[in-house]
Amino acid sequence: MSTRDAAADWWGTAVSRIEPDVIELRGQPVQDLIGRIGFAELIWLMLRGERPEPRQAALLEAALVSSVDHGPHAPSIAVARMAVTCGVGLNNAVATGVNLLGDVHGGAGEQCVGLLEEIVADGDAAAVVARWRARDKYLPGFGHRFHTRDPRRDPLLGLVERAVADGVVAGAHLRAALDVERLIAPVPMNIDGATAVVYAELGFPAPLARGLFVLSRSVGILAHAWEESGQGRRNKGPIPPSILPAWL
């Protein structure tokens, strides 16, 4: 094999084809997509190599919209607001925020998909919940430190319920999530749980649940960083300068 062919094979990809005067995304010319496909549809196409049905795309978009922002107290938002006043660009501020989306902040959706998949495979929600609670008293996707009932839960689950009724998705993961909610009542499902239901019902693997959350929350991170950049101040910490941290 020639060096040229070896290099081409090394970077071989089915995601995009770029040649002089040619740009294809999953085999589709970009000029045929511009103005004819929504962003959620494009995300699906890029990740899965095929275009979704309209109702599938609508469910994905609803989940993406629901997770965009949860205020400046969220670590990913707070750190982006601080970063943008430290002399870095918007790209750095957004990257700083995204880099905080780990297992504790931002990873619950991925973990909840894993929980739901285990329940669907096992068939015994109570047994699975008991195993998970033996490892950690918190169940990913359930409970919220602010909301007694997350205002995003009902609209998302309502869309899933209608999609199940219409045969768009199977409903097994929705039933698993509702079983968990009944078992641990009065602790309600939160946004991570509701979006996990959507992503699982649409067939996205658990790791992509976090990736999709990152795409969604990046919008809020960008908006907050941009707002902070226009404040004309240096935001050097999570508390105003007039409040001094306690000496320990």
Side-chain angles (χ1 to χ4, degrees), residues 164-223:
V164 172
D166 294 340
V168 177
V169 296
H173 296 90
L174 172 63
R175 291 190 291 273
L178 293 175
D179 284 344
V180 174
E181 198 171 44
R182 284 191 289 269
L183 284 166
I184 65 172
V187 178
M189 197 182 313
N190 60 33
I191 184 59
D192 297 309
T195 53
V197 168
V198 173
Y199 297 143
E201 288 288 349
L202 291 175
F204 287 99
L208 279 180
R210 188 183 311 203
L212 291 167
F213 176 78
V214 168
L215 291 179
S216 173
R217 184 51 59 88
S218 294
V219 178
I221 293 172
L222 174 60

Coordinates of all heavy atoms in Angstrom, one line a residue, residues 164-223:
V164 N -45.8 7.0 21.4 CA -46.1 5.6 21.7 C -47.4 5.2 21.1 O -47.6 4.2 20.4 CB -46.0 5.3 23.2 CG1 -46.5 3.8 23.5 CG2 -44.6 5.4 23.7
A165 N -48.4 6.0 21.4 CA -49.8 5.7 20.9 C -49.9 5.7 19.4 O -50.6 4.9 18.8 CB -50.8 6.8 21.4
D166 N -49.0 6.4 18.7 CA -49.0 6.5 17.3 C -48.0 5.5 16.7 O -47.8 5.5 15.4 CB -48.7 7.9 16.8 CG -49.8 8.9 17.2 OD1 -50.9 8.5 17.5 OD2 -49.5 10.1 17.2
G167 N -47.3 4.7 17.5 CA -46.4 3.8 16.9 C -45.1 4.3 16.5 O -44.3 3.6 15.8
V168 N -44.8 5.5 16.9 CA -43.5 6.1 16.5 C -42.3 5.5 17.3 O -41.2 5.3 16.8 CB -43.5 7.7 16.7 CG1 -42.2 8.3 16.4 CG2 -44.6 8.3 15.9
V169 N -42.6 5.3 18.6 CA -41.6 4.6 19.5 C -42.3 3.5 20.2 O -43.5 3.5 20.3 CB -40.9 5.6 20.5 CG1 -40.1 6.6 19.7 CG2 -42.0 6.3 21.4
A170 N -41.5 2.6 20.8 CA -42.1 1.4 21.4 C -42.7 1.6 22.8 O -43.8 1.0 23.1 CB -41.1 0.3 21.5
G171 N -42.1 2.5 23.6 CA -42.7 2.8 24.9 C -42.1 2.0 26.1 O -42.4 2.3 27.2
A172 N -41.2 1.1 25.8 CA -40.6 0.3 26.9 C -39.8 1.1 27.9 O -39.9 0.9 29.1 CB -39.7 -0.9 26.4
H173 N -39.1 2.0 27.4 CA -38.2 2.9 28.3 C -39.1 3.9 29.1 O -38.8 4.2 30.2 CB -37.2 3.6 27.5 CG -36.2 2.6 26.9 ND1 -36.3 2.1 25.7 CD2 -35.0 2.1 27.4 CE1 -35.3 1.3 25.4 NE2 -34.5 1.3 26.4
L174 N -40.2 4.4 28.4 CA -41.1 5.2 29.1 C -41.8 4.5 30.3 O -41.8 5.0 31.4 CB -42.2 5.7 28.2 CG -43.4 6.5 28.8 CD1 -42.9 7.7 29.5 CD2 -44.4 6.8 27.8
R175 N -42.2 3.2 30.0 CA -42.8 2.4 31.1 C -41.8 2.2 32.2 O -42.2 2.2 33.4 CB -43.4 1.1 30.5 CG -44.6 1.3 29.6 CD -45.2 0.0 29.2 NE -44.4 -0.8 28.4 CZ -44.3 -0.7 27.0 NH1 -45.1 0.2 26.4 NH2 -43.6 -1.5 26.3
A176 N -40.6 1.9 31.9 CA -39.6 1.7 32.9 C -39.4 2.9 33.8 O -39.3 2.8 35.0 CB -38.2 1.3 32.2
A177 N -39.3 4.1 33.2 CA -39.1 5.3 33.9 C -40.3 5.6 34.9 O -40.1 6.0 36.0 CB -38.9 6.5 33.0
L178 N -41.5 5.3 34.4 CA -42.7 5.6 35.2 C -42.8 4.5 36.3 O -43.2 4.8 37.4 CB -44.0 5.5 34.3 CG -44.1 6.6 33.3 CD1 -45.3 6.4 32.4 CD2 -44.2 8.0 34.0
D179 N -42.3 3.3 36.1 CA -42.2 2.3 37.1 C -41.3 2.8 38.2 O -41.6 2.6 39.4 CB -41.7 1.0 36.6 CG -42.8 0.2 35.8 OD1 -44.0 0.6 35.9 OD2 -42.5 -0.7 35.0
V180 N -40.1 3.3 37.9 CA -39.2 3.8 38.9 C -39.8 4.9 39.7 O -39.7 5.0 40.9 CB -37.9 4.3 38.2 CG1 -36.9 5.0 39.2 CG2 -37.1 3.2 37.5
E181 N -40.5 5.8 39.0 CA -41.1 7.0 39.6 C -42.1 6.5 40.7 O -42.2 7.1 41.8 CB -41.7 7.9 38.6 CG -42.0 9.3 39.1 CD -42.4 10.2 38.0 OE1 -43.3 9.8 37.2 OE2 -42.0 11.4 38.0
R182 N -42.9 5.5 40.3 CA -43.9 4.9 41.3 C -43.2 4.3 42.5 O -43.6 4.4 43.6 CB -44.8 4.0 40.6 CG -45.9 4.6 39.7 CD -46.9 3.6 39.2 NE -46.3 2.7 38.2 CZ -46.4 2.9 36.9 NH1 -46.9 4.0 36.4 NH2 -45.9 2.0 36.1
L183 N -42.1 3.6 42.2 CA -41.4 2.9 43.3 C -40.8 3.8 44.3 O -40.7 3.5 45.5 CB -40.3 2.0 42.6 CG -40.8 0.7 42.0 CD1 -39.6 0.1 41.1 CD2 -41.3 -0.3 43.0
I184 N -40.3 5.0 43.8 CA -39.6 5.9 44.7 C -40.4 7.1 45.1 O -39.9 8.1 45.6 CB -38.2 6.3 44.1 CG1 -38.4 7.1 42.9 CG2 -37.4 5.1 43.9 CD1 -37.1 7.7 42.3
A185 N -41.7 7.1 44.8 CA -42.6 8.3 45.1 C -42.4 8.7 46.5 O -42.2 7.8 47.4 CB -44.0 7.9 44.8
P186 N -42.4 10.0 46.8 CA -42.9 11.1 46.0 C -41.7 11.7 45.2 O -41.9 12.8 44.6 CB -43.4 12.1 47.0 CG -42.6 11.9 48.2 CD -42.2 10.4 48.2
V187 N -40.6 11.1 45.1 CA -39.4 11.7 44.3 C -39.8 11.7 42.8 O -40.1 10.6 42.3 CB -38.1 10.9 44.6 CG1 -37.0 11.5 43.7 CG2 -37.8 10.9 46.0
P188 N -39.8 12.8 42.2 CA -40.3 12.9 40.8 C -39.1 12.7 39.8 O -38.0 12.9 40.1 CB -40.9 14.3 40.7 CG -40.0 15.1 41.6 CD -39.6 14.2 42.7
M189 N -39.5 12.4 38.6 CA -38.5 12.4 37.5 C -38.1 13.9 37.2 O -38.9 14.8 37.3 CB -39.2 11.8 36.2 CG -38.2 11.4 35.2 SD -39.1 10.7 33.7 CE -40.3 9.6 34.4
N190 N -36.8 14.0 36.9 CA -36.3 15.4 36.5 C -36.0 15.4 35.0 O -36.3 14.5 34.3 CB -35.1 15.7 37.4 CG -33.9 14.8 37.2 OD1 -33.7 14.2 36.1 ND2 -33.2 14.6 38.2
I191 N -35.4 16.5 34.6 CA -35.2 16.7 33.2 C -34.2 15.6 32.6 O -34.3 15.2 31.5 CB -34.6 18.1 32.9 CG1 -34.5 18.4 31.4 CG2 -33.3 18.3 33.6 CD1 -35.8 18.2 30.6
D192 N -33.2 15.2 33.4 CA -32.3 14.2 32.9 C -33.1 12.9 32.7 O -32.8 12.1 31.7 CB -31.2 13.9 34.0 CG -30.3 15.2 34.1 OD1 -29.9 15.7 33.1 OD2 -30.2 15.6 35.3
G193 N -34.0 12.6 33.6 CA -34.8 11.4 33.4 C -35.7 11.5 32.2 O -35.9 10.5 31.4
A194 N -36.4 12.6 32.0 CA -37.3 12.8 30.9 C -36.6 12.7 29.6 O -37.1 12.1 28.6 CB -38.1 14.1 31.0
T195 N -35.4 13.4 29.5 CA -34.7 13.4 28.2 C -34.1 12.0 28.0 O -34.0 11.5 26.8 CB -33.6 14.4 28.2 OG1 -32.7 14.3 29.3 CG2 -34.2 15.8 28.1
A196 N -33.7 11.3 29.1 CA -33.2 9.9 28.9 C -34.3 9.0 28.3 O -34.0 8.2 27.5 CB -32.8 9.4 30.3
V197 N -35.6 9.2 28.7 CA -36.7 8.5 28.1 C -36.7 8.7 26.6 O -36.8 7.8 25.8 CB -38.0 8.9 28.8 CG1 -39.2 8.3 28.0 CG2 -38.1 8.3 30.2
V198 N -36.6 10.0 26.2 CA -36.7 10.4 24.8 C -35.5 9.7 24.0 O -35.7 9.1 23.0 CB -36.6 11.9 24.6 CG1 -36.5 12.3 23.1 CG2 -37.9 12.5 25.2
Y199 N -34.3 9.9 24.5 CA -33.1 9.4 23.8 C -33.2 7.9 23.7 O -32.8 7.3 22.7 CB -31.9 9.9 24.5 CG -31.7 11.4 24.4 CD1 -31.1 12.1 25.5 CD2 -32.1 12.1 23.3 CE1 -31.0 13.5 25.5 CE2 -32.0 13.5 23.3 CZ -31.4 14.2 24.4 OH -31.3 15.5 24.3
A200 N -33.6 7.2 24.8 CA -33.6 5.8 24.8 C -34.7 5.3 23.9 O -34.5 4.3 23.1 CB -33.9 5.2 26.2
E201 N -35.9 5.9 23.9 CA -36.9 5.5 23.0 C -36.6 5.7 21.5 O -37.0 4.9 20.7 CB -38.2 6.3 23.3 CG -38.9 5.9 24.6 CD -39.6 4.6 24.5 OE1 -39.7 4.0 23.4 OE2 -40.0 4.1 25.6
L202 N -35.7 6.7 21.3 CA -35.3 7.0 19.9 C -34.1 6.1 19.5 O -33.7 6.2 18.3 CB -34.9 8.4 19.7 CG -36.1 9.4 19.8 CD1 -35.6 10.9 19.7 CD2 -37.1 9.2 18.7
G203 N -33.6 5.3 20.4 CA -32.6 4.3 20.1 C -31.2 4.9 20.1 O -30.2 4.3 19.6
F204 N -30.9 6.0 20.9 CA -29.6 6.5 21.0 C -28.9 5.7 22.2 O -29.5 5.6 23.3 CB -29.6 8.0 21.4 CG -30.0 8.9 20.2 CD1 -31.2 9.3 20.0 CD2 -29.0 9.2 19.2 CE1 -31.6 10.1 18.9 CE2 -29.3 10.0 18.1 CZ -30.6 10.4 18.0
P205 N -27.7 5.3 22.0 CA -27.0 4.6 23.1 C -26.7 5.6 24.2 O -26.7 6.8 24.1 CB -25.6 4.2 22.4 CG -25.9 4.2 21.0 CD -26.9 5.3 20.7
A206 N -26.5 5.0 25.4 CA -26.4 5.9 26.6 C -25.3 6.9 26.5 O -25.6 8.1 26.9 CB -26.1 5.0 27.8
P207 N -24.1 6.7 26.0 CA -23.1 7.7 25.9 C -23.5 8.9 25.1 O -23.2 10.1 25.3 CB -21.9 7.0 25.3 CG -22.0 5.6 25.6 CD -23.5 5.3 25.6
L208 N -24.4 8.6 24.0 CA -24.8 9.8 23.2 C -25.8 10.6 23.9 O -26.1 11.8 23.6 CB -25.4 9.2 21.9 CG -24.4 8.9 20.8 CD1 -25.1 8.4 19.6 CD2 -23.5 10.1 20.5
A209 N -26.5 10.1 25.0 CA -27.4 10.9 25.8 C -26.6 12.1 26.4 O -27.1 13.2 26.4 CB -28.0 10.1 26.9
R210 N -25.4 11.8 26.8 CA -24.5 12.9 27.4 C -24.1 13.8 26.2 O -24.1 15.1 26.4 CB -23.3 12.4 28.1 CG -22.6 13.6 28.8 CD -21.3 13.1 29.5 NE -21.5 12.0 30.4 CZ -20.7 11.7 31.4 NH1 -19.7 12.5 31.7 NH2 -20.8 10.6 32.2
G211 N -23.7 13.2 25.1 CA -23.3 14.1 24.0 C -24.4 15.0 23.5 O -24.2 16.2 23.2
L212 N -25.6 14.5 23.5 CA -26.7 15.3 23.0 C -27.0 16.4 24.1 O -27.4 17.5 23.7 CB -28.0 14.4 22.8 CG -27.9 13.5 21.6 CD1 -29.0 12.5 21.6 CD2 -27.9 14.3 20.3
F213 N -26.9 16.1 25.4 CA -27.1 17.1 26.4 C -26.0 18.2 26.2 O -26.3 19.4 26.4 CB -27.0 16.5 27.8 CG -27.0 17.5 28.9 CD1 -28.2 18.0 29.3 CD2 -25.9 17.9 29.5 CE1 -28.3 18.9 30.3 CE2 -25.9 18.8 30.6 CZ -27.1 19.4 30.9
V214 N -24.8 17.8 25.9 CA -23.7 18.8 25.7 C -24.1 19.7 24.6 O -23.9 21.0 24.7 CB -22.4 18.1 25.4 CG1 -21.3 19.1 24.9 CG2 -21.9 17.4 26.6
L215 N -24.6 19.2 23.5 CA -25.1 20.0 22.4 C -26.1 21.0 22.8 O -26.1 22.2 22.5 CB -25.6 19.2 21.2 CG -24.6 18.3 20.4 CD1 -25.3 17.5 19.3 CD2 -23.5 19.2 19.8
S216 N -27.1 20.5 23.6 CA -28.2 21.4 24.0 C -27.7 22.4 25.0 O -27.9 23.6 24.8 CB -29.2 20.5 24.7 OG -30.2 21.3 25.4
R217 N -26.9 22.1 26.0 CA -26.5 23.0 27.0 C -25.5 24.0 26.5 O -25.4 25.1 27.0 CB -25.9 22.3 28.2 CG -25.5 23.1 29.4 CD -26.6 24.1 29.9 NE -27.8 23.4 30.3 CZ -28.1 23.0 31.5 NH1 -27.2 23.1 32.5 NH2 -29.3 22.5 31.8
S218 N -24.8 23.7 25.4 CA -23.9 24.6 24.8 C -24.6 25.9 24.4 O -24.0 27.0 24.4 CB -23.2 24.0 23.6 OG -22.4 22.9 23.9
V219 N -25.8 25.8 24.0 CA -26.6 27.0 23.6 C -26.7 27.9 24.8 O -26.5 29.2 24.7 CB -28.0 26.6 23.1 CG1 -28.7 27.9 22.7 CG2 -27.8 25.7 21.9
G220 N -27.1 27.4 26.0 CA -27.2 28.2 27.2 C -25.9 28.8 27.6 O -25.8 29.9 28.0
I221 N -24.9 27.9 27.5 CA -23.5 28.4 27.9 C -23.1 29.6 27.0 O -22.6 30.6 27.5 CB -22.5 27.2 27.8 CG1 -22.8 26.1 28.8 CG2 -21.1 27.7 27.9 CD1 -22.0 24.9 28.6
L222 N -23.3 29.5 25.7 CA -23.0 30.5 24.8 C -23.7 31.8 25.1 O -23.2 32.9 25.2 CB -23.2 30.1 23.4 CG -23.0 31.2 22.3 CD1 -21.6 31.7 22.3 CD2 -23.4 30.6 20.9
A223 N -25.0 31.7 25.4 CA -25.9 32.8 25.7 C -25.4 33.6 26.9 O -25.3 34.8 27.0 CB -27.3 32.4 25.8

